[in-house]
Amino acid sequence: MTETVPAGPVPGDIAVDGLPRRHLRLLGEAADRLLAAEDAAAMVDGLFALIAQELRLDVFFNYRLDGEMLVLAAHGGLTEAEAAAGATLAVGQAVCGCAARDRRAVEAFAIQASDDPMVAFVRDLGIDAYACTPLLHGTTLLGTLGFGRRWADRFDADELAFLHTVSHYVALAKYRLKIEAELRDGIAVRERLLAELNHRVRNALQTAVAVVRLGAADVTGDEARGALAAAAARLEVLAAAHRPLYATDTPTRIDMAGLITAVAERADGAEVAIDAAEAPALPVEQAAAAALLVHSLLTPADAALLERVTIGVQDDSMILALAGDALGRPHDALDDSRIVRGLSRQLRATMVRDGAGVLTIAIPMSGRG
């Protein structure tokens, strides 16, 4: 009969204090490699290459759990035919299947002298000693990891402690890789959804701008035409506020440097200098309102004179300094307009014209970005 230990210690209960010093050094190196691993199969291949000579191992089987089956994910010391023969196991089948079913380490010794059906597969491979550990993270079974020898019929206690401990480290590393893969998949799904949302909102805004401009072309009065043209321009400002959302890792906030750059255009097409040494990221609603306020304060005549926009932060407020000829002079028609007063109240913004060339807007920030 095969000498087996079906109720061996669970991986988390293994103590390493009694391991030989050389095993502890090897365990430390194995842990470093497992922590840095990026591919589950290559990780176990590398681990086997690291420990095979010291532990005098001939083969290893790494199975991952797939539903009710164990699927061979990595292996070493086998021919292609041998690996194909053990490509899948049912939970409860063979040594690894029993380890998975019982969630306990299973060790089989003197296999070549045994007729136990559980060890039939590894016996046919010439293996005489085999130790398999379930790869567990908490109560989650990830798979199994088994190591075998052909030249000797058993492992000693230190060797078994080492193999079960390193298998526990493999389980931790595999769980980490599994979570990272799920996070990457989640990010990919989020990016696809954001791309679709970006596409739909952009199309909707473009349609709205086109409809308003067509309406402006149909009216005869200059006042009505001007009002519709202003409405279309403000819709374009909202579109400019929308565009950065898809490109950021924090899609609830907008980088004000890029947004103000898009809004602060000169009517004559000349470039406006943007000085943004400390440009905050603001919540979407606050950023859009700030962009609309800047746009409303730049009539076509004033916009042609805009030379520089300085963006900074002072006392938890964003400071926008619009510099250009005559921008600092009083402009009652703009400063007292309904849209400027309404946006200023919404943002709790204060505006100061210096009487010459600078219009300064201070906007309290609802949260630093």
Side-chain angles (χ1 to χ4, degrees):
M1 290 291 294
T2 307
E3 182 183 348
T4 62
V5 186
V10 296
D13 292 337
I14 296 296
V16 300
D17 294 344
L19 287 177
R21 191 178 300 275
R22 69 183 188 280
H23 283 183
L24 290 175
R25 287 196 297 267
L26 194 60
L27 196 61
E29 185 176 350
D32 288 342
R33 293 192 183 190
L34 293 171
L35 287 172
E38 296 182 356
D39 178 82
M43 171 183 73
V44 186
D45 285 336
L47 174 66
F48 183 68
L50 175 68
I51 69 174
Q53 183 174 354
E54 174 66 29
L55 275 294
R56 294 174 292 176
L57 303 172
D58 295 303
V59 298
F60 84 90
F61 290 86
N62 174 210
Y63 286 96
R64 62 176 173 81
L65 183 66
D66 186 359
E68 294 299 317
M69 298 296 293
L70 294 171
V71 177
L72 191 60
H75 60 85
L78 304 175
T79 66
E80 291 186 7
E82 290 170 340
T88 58
L89 293 177
V91 173
Q93 177 187 1
V95 179
C96 287
C98 291
R101 179 195 61 200
D102 300 334
R103 302 193 176 201
R104 307 283 297 184
V106 177
E107 299 143 4
F109 302 148
I111 295 171
Q112 291 302 309
S114 172
D115 58 0
D116 188 339
M118 182 185 72
V119 299
F121 174 65
V122 290
R123 183 182 62 238
D124 291 344
L125 299 177
I127 296 170
D128 211 11
Y130 192 73
C132 184
T133 307
L135 300 179
L136 294 167
H137 187 274
T139 60
T140 301
L141 177 65
L142 305 175
T144 64
L145 181 57
F147 298 96
R149 284 174 172 168
R150 292 189 173 102
W151 62 274
D153 67 355
R154 65 190 57 246
F155 293 99
D156 65 29
D158 289 339
E159 290 167 338
L160 290 173
F162 179 91
L163 292 175
H164 293 317
T165 300
V166 81
S167 295
H168 177 55
Y169 290 173
V170 169
L172 293 175
K174 281 183 173 288
Y175 187 76
R176 171 182 62 81
L177 292 173
K178 176 176 178 290
I179 294 301
E180 290 176 355
E182 290 173 353
L183 288 173
R184 284 193 296 271
D185 290 344
I187 291 171
V189 170
R190 187 202 72 167
E191 289 180 345
R192 287 195 297 271
L193 291 174
L194 283 175
E196 178 64 20
L197 179 63
N198 182 59
H199 175 73
R200 290 176 180 271
V201 173
R202 183 175 65 246
N203 286 349
L205 288 171
Q206 289 174 343
T207 300
V209 170
V211 168
V212 173
R213 292 201 182 280
L214 287 172
D218 287 339
V219 300
T220 56
D222 291 340
E223 184 177 352
R225 185 180 294 111
L228 288 172
R234 287 163 189 155
L235 283 171
E236 289 178 338
V237 172
L238 292 176
H242 161 75
R243 279 193 291 271
L245 291 179
Y246 177 62
T248 181
D249 290 333
T250 53
T252 59
R253 306 182 76 84
I254 296 178
D255 174 37
M256 291 305 298
L259 180 55
I260 296 300
T261 299
V263 171
E265 298 176 347
R266 288 172 59 113
D268 61 3
E271 184 176 352
V272 177
I274 304 293
D275 181 1
E278 188 181 2
L282 298 185
V284 175
E285 298 82 1
Q286 192 178 21
L292 283 170
L293 177 60
V294 171
H295 178 266
S296 299
L297 290 166
L298 298 175
T299 65
D302 289 326
L305 303 175
L306 180 63
E307 297 176 358
R308 176 180 295 274
V309 178
T310 301
I311 309 172
V313 175
Q314 181 179 340
D315 298 330
D316 290 327
S317 290
M318 179 179 67
I319 308 299
L320 298 172
L322 311 181
D325 187 24
L327 278 176
R329 298 174 190 168
H331 200 311
D332 294 341
L334 288 177
D335 299 348
D336 292 334
S337 67
R338 287 185 177 181
I339 188 167
V340 169
R341 285 189 282 112
L343 290 169
S344 296
R345 283 196 300 270
Q346 178 182 339
L347 293 166
R348 296 181 292 120
T350 56
M351 295 185 301
V352 177
R353 294 185 187 267
D354 70 352
V358 179
L359 165 61
T360 301
I361 308 169
I363 301 174
M365 292 183 292
S366 59
R368 293 296 299 274

